[in-house]
Every structure is written in structure tokens, then in C-alpha cells.
Amino acid sequence: MLVNEKVAVEHGLKIDEYKKICELLKRTPNITELGIFSAMWNEHCSYKSSRLHLKKLPTEGKKVIQGPGENAGVIDIDDGDAIVFKIESHNHPSFIEPYQGAATGVGGIMRDVFTMGARPIANLNSIHFGSPQHKKTKNLLRGVVHGIGGYGNCMGVPTIAGQTSFDSSYNGNILVNAMTLGLVKKNKIFYSKAAGLNKPVIYVGSKTGRDGIHGASMASASFDEKIEEKKPTVQVGDPFTEKLLLEACLELMAGDSIIAIQDMGAAGLTSSSIEMASKGNLGIEINLNKVPCRETKMTPYEIMLSESQERMLIVLENGKEELAKKIFDKWNLDFAVIGKTTDTKNIELFFNNEQVANIPVDALVENSPMYDRKWKKSKLPKKNKIKRDIINKLKIKDILKKILSHPNICSKEWIWQQYDHTVMGDTIQKPGGDSGVVRVHGTNKAIAATVDSSAVYCWAHPLTGGKQVVAESWRNLISVGATPIAITNCLNFGSPENENNMGEFVECVEGIAEASKYLKFPVVSGNVSFYNQTKEVGIKPTPSIGGVGLIKELEKMITMDLKETNNLILVIGKTEGHIDQSLFARVILDEKNGPPPEVNLFNEKNNGLSLLKLIEENFIKSAHDISLGGIITALSKMCIKGNKGVHLKKTKSLISEIDYLFSEDQGRYIIEINPKDIKEVTKILDKNSVHYEELGVIIKDDIIINEKTKLTIDELKSYNTNWLINYMS
């Protein structure tokens, strides 16, 4: 095929980018070379619109072993152990083909983790759908959930936590973000940097097919009316093969054969070979005739751009080929020596004894475009004038019923029941709590993990929203007794070519950076997903934050279920009555304007560390952070989990009762303590200048809010549990 500007544009390249390619090569690229450039220079692989701003994120810390730049981040959890983790998007594929899109998203993130030598021990997800009334939402939800469960369950990795939300901005572009944690010994971590000359380059795993070609490019484009035509770009997963690949790789990793290893994810053989060569400042020569293919007459272009799943690229030590082959033969996987490392610093491809591509690696990586896009700074919205005459007429029971049954608050048990969350036998807190928790096998310590996002806050004011979502992750880890260590992020936004969308991205990143730095909660891995829009309509800005923390002693783990009658309930953190952007404002008052709640990072840190101190001293019986829906929503969930009621004291707050119960001020927790410990608990809180209020006392069956409002636990359960079950039936 003759390559020209028109063909380049069809590959997703801008005309000026095509001209730059010709300048770098000092000639016109052939079609295979153009395909390689289009894959490496698209948004998904090159981060050309985001790299400039991602540099603002703090990436170092005492516990950080590996930050961004590898397949996943790595943190130290003591005793020679480390946790490898990352979150990634598979948004576009999941909208086009929900089951396979979600399934291969899970498969891809697990490969990122075990590529580094870690055995996956837990999966999480953050999934976002359009309005429940939209014609596609139910089928998309069903397909995605089945895809996540289908792949993770077959791999034998528990799904321990997640987040699901609904919003009309996702009607034409759902979000599917998958996260995996893996366990590895610190001295057995593997990296993707190629080293040495004339080292054999090995292809292992499944055969290469025509599925997923242009998958990375598709992920870097907006949807249009031709969406159905994009189905061939969606990869097809085989979890049983991935399980074999996992075991084979870990068996080979037990020895000293591997120099470098990289999974074939986005852009397949193209990105894996080029990234390994670039990191090692080497060249790689590949004979494409030796690549195992499952379809006949595949061209070099197709072989290089295929995103067939369950494949790895390995640089081996010389003389280790037979040893490696025996292992992969044993696991019934393809194994082929397809090339070698060179000193040319070029990627050189041969097919049918002819050179079909010869590209300097630097041209693909170091010289890839980096844009300083125009962006608009957002203004903090003015506070709404609260409609007091309307609020005064409202009944707390009616409000709570609507809030607890709201799609974004209601129990997601229908979803997580379809995931195997106990396989491997180390899950000690299942989905539905503040964080999922898994035991580090054979030890008395555990890892807590959570995934959070808040599109509404980020849409209202991106800078504040970015800070909030990090703080939410921090609180969710602390609520189960874990010391927060680090985060991963998946940044989901509309087109970066739109100034408003780009502004949302820039300010969210600045907010994430500010909170991460202050809380000493560094970003060790992540992913950017742009072009989440249909035609010109983008999603609400949705940065997903995956947080990981350590519980040093299993006995110190905290759950949210209320434990004993007559125990006291306290609120940690001050309630100012912030109603704007709350669920109460949007659902009850139909008010969607106004600023999100302020994030005071000093209070977040101080309140959180003080709570950890109380947990360490064994004063806390249960705990739950206060977020969406406010105090009464958080307390209701604790009542439901523990099958206990609470008699609330009359608040001494100067704000109205409804404001107090339903506002979404940040930095707050609800805790349960024994009455005999009240003096010691308040002593610690007073010493640390932490604001607290006594909320009430645990009783047997009911929530009594004032002497006028009484709800049974069964009523709370019916409000909270029925919506999703009924919706999906």
C-alpha cells in the first residue's frame, strides 16, 4: 500500500505528525512502519497530551520500590515482601463488546502484575455506567460484570472490592477500570529493561491472530455513529491460557534465565519490543516468520499490531533457550525464539527474507510528540442559596429512603456475588466494606485495597475533586485499620483537544498531586484514558484512585458492622453542613450547581492518623468513613451490616438537623467504642486537637433519629438492597 497523508490520517495521525515521521526517517515510511508509528504515537501509548502534567505527581516514598515507568508500581511491606499493583482502563472495548472488553481488561492488568514476578492475590474494579433509564445500561452492566467475573474467577484470583456508579454522562461511553495486586519477594522482582547484545528474544503464550488490531488506536479516539464497525478491534480473552502462562512464567522466574520480560498489551508485539529496547538503549531484530500465528497469510503489519491476548516477550540469557522451552512446552504454550538484541538502537523486522521495517527506537519513544494543550482554568462555583422553606417541609424518613435506594448508594451485592471473592483462602474482608482485605499468605499481616472516584465533585471543581478522591481512598484504608502506603490512578477524561476537558484533567492532576504529597501517599503507577466521549459529548471527569495499605497485625483489622448494644457512637471530624453537590441536593432538591465540599488536608491527615492511634490502642470496635449521603447514610450502612440500631442524641450543632445528617463535609468517620473507654478515647482526640461529637448509643433493633423518626433495620435493608436486584431482574 502506498503511504501518504490520507493513509496517515486514517491511522489516527495528524498531518504534522506524519511529516515529522518522514523527517525522522528521512524517507516515507512503508505501511508496516506507519502502523508502528501510529500505535506508538497514539494517546494510549505515548501519553502525548498528559506527560507534561503527570510529572507533577509525587512518586517517591520510604516504601516505594518502583514508581511509574514499569509495568506496575511496587511497594515494600516489610519482611522481604513487596506488593505490585496497578489500575488500567478498558473503556472503549467494554462499551463495544462488554463481556470481552471487561474480561480482557482484567486479563491485561493481571499480566502487568505477574510480568514483574508477582503472583496476583486480589482484583478490584471501578465501573461506571449511564443512566439506569438508558436503553443500553442494563445489558452493558450485565456484560461487564460477567466479563470481570468470568476472567477473574477462571484465573483463581479473588475480587475483593470495587465501585459502581451511574450517571447520564456515561450513556455513550462507559468506564471499566481494572486493578490487580500481586505478592512478590523483594529480591525476585523482574523488569522490562533489555540488556546485553545478541541475547535471544523469546515469544511465549498464545498464538497471534487478527483480533485487537488497532485496539490502542481505537482507545485514543472518540466514538461516533460507526461504533459497531469497531468490534474487530476488541481483543478476545482466554483466562485458562492466561492461568497456564502465569504458572509457566513464575516457574521460569524461579531461576536465573530472564534478563527482561514484558507483556504484549496495547499495540502488542510493537510496544513490548520497542519499550524493552528503549529502556535498555538497545536495538531488537525480529524475524516475523518465526512468530506463532493462528491465522494464515498474516502480514507483517497484522503481526506487529495484533493485540491477541495471553502473550509475553522475554529477553533470555544465552544458553537458556532449551530450559525455557521445556517449561513452556510442559504448560502447553507456544515458545519461539523470534529475534535478538542488537547494538543498532533500531527496531528491525524481517519477513520472507526481506527487511520490512527499520526504525530508530528513539524516533518512536524519545521523539514521540508531547503537547502542551490549551486548557481552561475552572472557577469555584458560588454557593447555592438553600431553599429552607422546602427543606423544612421534608421528613427525614422519606429522604433516607430515597438516598439509601439511590443507584449510587444501594448495595452492590448483586454484582460482587458473581465474583469469587474468597478463592485462595486469604480474603479476610469481602466486598461491601470500606476496603477489601487479604492476608499475606502464611503471615499475620494483611493488605487493604480500595478503589474510589467522585465524578460529581471533579465536574463541579476539578482541583477540589482531585484532592477529594485521594482523601477518600486514604479514609477507606484507615477505616479498616490499614496504614496507607501508596496509590495507583486511572484518569478518565474526554478529548484533550477540548480546552474544557483538558482543564479538567490538568486541575484534577494538580489536586491529586497536592493531596498525595501532603498525605505522603505517592502515586506509583497509573493510566490515562482520554477521548471518553461520543461525538463531542464527553463524560464527567472521572479519576479513579486505587489505594493500598498495610495492616501489620490481623487482629487490628476493623469492620463497619456495629458490634454491641450500649456501645457509644462518635463522629470524628467537624460537620459544617455542606449541602452543595451532595446526594441530598441532587436527589432531593434537584439542585446540581454549587461547589463541592472543601478538602482540608491538615484535618484529613490529623483525623486519620488519630483514628489509627485509637485502633492501635484497641479502642475501636467498628468504623466507617462518612462520604456520599452524609452521616445518616454511613450510620445506616453500619446498622444494616451489624443488624443493630442506634438511638441518636439530639445534636448540639448550630446547623439544622437535615444539614447535619445529610451534608458531605470531608475528613469524617463514625466510630464505635465501649463506654468505659470514652475518657481515654477523648483524651487522645483532645491531645491531637481532633473535633468529635457523641452521636448516639447502639440499641437492639431501630434507628431513632429524634423522638419523632424511627426506622427498623428491616426497613433500612429493604431500601438499600432491593434496587439493583429489581433493576437486573
Side-chain angles (χ1 to χ4, degrees):
M1 180 186 288
L2 182 66
V3 172
N4 53 34
E5 288 183 358
K6 181 175 180 294
V7 175
V9 171
E10 289 170 351
H11 278 71
L13 292 161
K14 307 293 186 187
I15 290 175
D16 60 339
E17 291 175 342
Y18 172 68
K19 289 178 177 177
K20 184 178 179 181
I21 291 167
C22 294
E23 289 173 9
L24 289 168
L25 293 178
K26 298 182 173 61
R27 58 180 172 81
T28 302
N30 62 39
I31 189 64
T32 300
E33 292 170 329
L34 183 73
I36 290 170
F37 270 103
S38 75
M40 293 302 297
W41 281 19
N42 66 45
E43 198 71 61
H44 191 75
C45 293
S46 74
Y47 292 79
K48 58 189 176 185
S49 298
S50 58
R51 289 204 314 270
L52 186 69
H53 302 284
L54 294 175
K55 294 176 181 177
K56 302 170 186 175
L57 296 171
T59 59
E60 297 179 348
K62 290 181 180 178
K63 294 286 187 179
V64 176
I65 296 172
Q66 175 64 55
E70 269 293 339
N71 287 290
V74 189
I75 56 172
D76 189 343
I77 59 164
D78 305 328
D79 310 307
D81 297 321
I83 292 293
V84 179
F85 68 103
K86 189 182 182 182
I87 188 170
E88 266 198 350
S89 63
H90 229 222
N91 302 334
H92 286 44
S94 300
F95 186 73
I96 298 166
E97 183 57 57
Y99 184 94
Q100 289 296 348
T104 52
V106 173
I109 196 63
M110 280 199 279
R111 283 197 305 281
D112 279 340
V113 167
F114 75 74
T115 297
M116 300 194 70
R119 180 174 290 280
I121 60 170
N123 289 331
L124 301 88
N125 55 74
S126 178
I127 52 179
H128 305 265
F129 300 89
S131 165
Q133 287 74 44
H134 192 269
K135 61 183 181 181
K136 288 188 176 182
T137 296
K138 186 184 294 187
N139 285 336
L140 286 168
L141 174 60
R142 193 183 306 277
V144 165
V145 169
H146 287 169
I148 291 170
Y151 208 103
N153 294 353
C154 290
M155 284 290 293
V157 178
T159 300
I160 64 167
Q163 176 197 25
T164 305
S165 79
F166 300 86
D167 187 277
S168 59
S169 77
Y170 308 117
N171 283 350
N173 197 127
I174 65 172
L175 303 181
V176 176
N177 297 173
M179 178 177 169
T180 293
L181 283 72
L183 179 66
V184 67
K185 289 294 180 182
K186 285 194 293 186
N187 62 350
K188 293 297 289 184
I189 299 169
F190 288 81
Y191 299 94
S192 57
K193 179 181 177 181
L197 298 178
N198 294 312
K199 301 294 183 181
V201 176
I202 312 299
Y203 173 115
V204 299
S206 291
K207 287 180 169 61
T208 295
R210 290 188 171 96
D211 57 311
I213 293 173
H214 295 303
S217 299
M218 178 269 292
S220 303
S222 302
F223 285 148
D224 54 30
E225 63 277 357
K226 297 180 180 178
I227 184 173
E228 291 298 318
E229 296 176 11
K230 300 182 188 289
K231 279 193 175 183
T233 65
V234 179
Q235 309 91 334
V236 178
D238 180 355
F240 298 105
T241 299
E242 178 137 329
K243 174 65 173 173
L244 299 177
L245 183 61
L246 162 67
E247 299 301 338
C249 286
L250 293 181
E251 185 173 339
L252 184 61
M253 288 167 167
D256 57 357
S257 303
I258 297 175
I259 296 173
I261 182 168
Q262 176 76 40
D263 85 294
M264 296 190 211
L269 186 53
T270 289
S271 62
S272 56
S273 58
I274 291 163
E275 286 175 18
M276 293 173 88
S278 174
K279 289 172 182 176
N281 199 27
L282 295 169
I284 285 182
E285 180 184 298
I286 295 175
N287 183 346
L288 295 176
N289 291 103
K290 294 184 178 181
V291 174
C293 294
R294 64 170 177 261
E295 299 184 50
T296 59
K297 297 181 179 179
M298 288 190 70
T299 65
Y301 178 97
E302 292 172 327
I303 294 169
M304 289 301 294
L305 295 184
S306 167
E307 294 186 11
S308 294
Q309 299 290 285
E310 296 86 40
R311 301 179 300 158
M312 293 281 189
L313 199 64
I314 302 173
V315 178
L316 281 183
E317 292 284 2
N318 291 112
K320 299 291 185 178
E321 297 93 330
E322 282 304 311
L323 171 68
K325 186 176 186 305
K326 283 182 182 178
I327 291 173
F328 285 92
D329 284 349
K330 170 186 154 183
W331 291 99
N332 200 28
L333 295 165
D334 277 284
F335 176 99
V337 181
I338 64 170
K340 63 181 181 180
T341 59
T342 69
D343 62 359
T344 64
K345 298 184 182 180
N346 286 12
I347 186 81
E348 298 172 84
L349 306 178
F350 294 85
F351 188 70
N352 293 341
N353 297 316
E354 292 183 8
Q355 189 176 76
V356 293
N358 188 0
I359 309 172
V361 171
D362 280 351
L364 293 161
V365 182
E366 296 299 322
N367 292 307
S368 65
M370 183 167 74
Y371 296 127
D372 186 2
R373 302 274 193 195
K374 291 182 179 179
W375 59 278
K376 283 187 179 179
K377 189 175 179 66
S378 62
K379 293 181 180 178
L380 187 68
K382 292 181 179 178
K383 285 190 174 184
N384 287 309
K385 292 182 179 178
I386 303 297
K387 304 166 185 174
R388 287 292 156 198
D389 55 332
I390 296 175
I391 291 178
N392 292 336
K393 295 177 183 177
L394 297 171
K395 293 182 178 179
I396 292 173
K397 186 173 182 176
D398 295 337
I399 303 169
L400 189 56
K401 181 179 179 179
K402 284 186 178 180
I403 296 288
L404 287 176
S405 60
H406 189 273
N408 292 343
I409 287 289
C410 73
S411 169
K412 304 303 187 299
E413 190 170 355
W414 179 89
I415 293 173
W416 56 258
Q417 276 187 337
Q418 298 178 62
Y419 307 148
D420 192 337
H421 47 270
T422 59
V423 65
M424 300 178 76
D426 284 317
T427 304
I428 55 174
Q429 182 150 196
K430 65 184 183 181
D434 286 298
S435 298
V437 183
V438 288
R439 179 192 295 107
V440 177
H441 192 75
T443 75
N444 194 43
K445 61 188 179 184
I447 299 299
T450 180
V451 61
D452 302 283
S453 65
S454 183
V456 169
Y457 292 171
C458 291
W459 171 77
H461 191 242
L463 182 66
T464 303
K467 287 192 282 188
Q468 189 277 334
V469 70
V470 175
E472 173 75 5
S473 180
W474 166 270
R475 290 197 301 273
N476 279 335
L477 293 171
I478 286 174
S479 295
V480 299
T483 300
I485 298 177
I487 62 176
T488 181
N489 61 50
C490 190
L491 308 177
N492 307 278
F493 292 82
S495 170
E497 298 168 56
N498 178 295
E499 292 182 13
N500 290 321
N501 292 344
M502 193 65 203
E504 290 170 344
F505 173 80
V506 171
E507 293 192 290
C508 274
V509 168
E510 288 176 351
I512 291 168
E514 185 181 339
S516 300
K517 186 176 181 180
Y518 191 91
L519 297 173
K520 296 183 178 177
F521 203 24
V523 181
V524 298
S525 59
N527 169 240
V528 176
S529 177
F530 279 132
Y531 297 99
N532 289 291
Q533 60 186 52
T534 299
K535 296 183 179 179
E536 300 302 315
V537 181
I539 63 166
K540 285 188 173 77
T542 313
S544 295
I545 300 293
V548 178
L550 176 65
I551 301 174
K552 291 184 178 180
E553 300 172 69
L554 289 176
E555 300 79 20
K556 304 287 186 180
M557 186 187 77
I558 302 296
T559 58
M560 70 163 65
D561 52 299
L562 297 180
K563 302 299 189 298
E564 293 182 29
T565 55
N566 300 318
N567 276 354
L568 299 178
I569 303 295
L570 272 60
V571 176
I572 304 296
K574 193 166 186 180
T575 302
E576 303 278 3
H578 189 99
I579 291 295
D580 288 342
Q581 296 302 331
S582 68
L583 201 61
F584 171 79
R586 284 178 276 122
V587 173
I588 307 300
L589 304 180
D590 195 29
E591 179 57 73
K592 296 178 175 59
N593 297 314
E598 179 189 354
V599 178
N600 184 314
L601 291 173
F602 174 84
N603 288 342
E604 287 285 0
K605 190 173 186 177
N606 190 42
N607 295 355
L609 294 181
S610 298
L611 181 52
L612 281 180
K613 174 68 174 174
L614 293 174
I615 292 170
E616 179 64 27
E617 298 290 332
N618 295 316
F619 289 129
I620 305 299
K621 307 303 178 184
S622 67
H624 185 29
D625 83 304
I626 300 170
S627 54
L628 203 61
I631 285 175
I632 192 63
T633 303
L635 184 62
S636 295
K637 289 189 173 184
M638 296 175 79
C639 291
I640 292 169
K641 288 279 188 182
N643 205 35
K644 299 277 193 306
V646 173
H647 191 165
L648 273 69
K649 294 178 65 175
K650 187 172 177 62
T651 177
K652 295 179 181 178
S653 176
L654 298 176
I655 60 177
S656 77
E657 189 171 44
I658 285 178
D659 287 2
Y660 182 82
L661 293 175
F662 294 100
S663 62
E664 294 180 11
D665 303 277
Q666 299 294 288
R668 298 180 299 160
Y669 306 81
I670 295 175
I671 62 171
E672 173 191 352
I673 64 170
N674 192 304
K676 69 179 177 61
D677 296 326
I678 184 69
K679 286 186 179 180
E680 290 298 319
V681 168
T682 54
K683 183 179 176 182
I684 291 171
L685 295 174
D686 287 336
K687 182 181 178 182
N688 294 337
S689 300
V690 173
H691 185 91
Y692 61 90
E693 295 165 6
E694 196 170 322
L695 185 62
V697 62
I698 298 177
I699 58 177
K700 190 177 179 182
D701 295 317
D702 308 306
I703 278 191
I704 303 172
I705 298 171
N706 48 43
E707 300 309 323
K708 302 176 186 175
T709 305
K710 183 177 178 182
L711 296 97
T712 67
I713 304 304
D714 286 342
E715 284 180 288
L716 296 178
K717 286 179 181 177
S718 68
Y719 301 156
N720 193 236
T721 59
N722 290 342
W723 184 85
L724 189 56
I725 295 170
N726 293 338
Y727 179 70
M728 296 307 298
S729 62

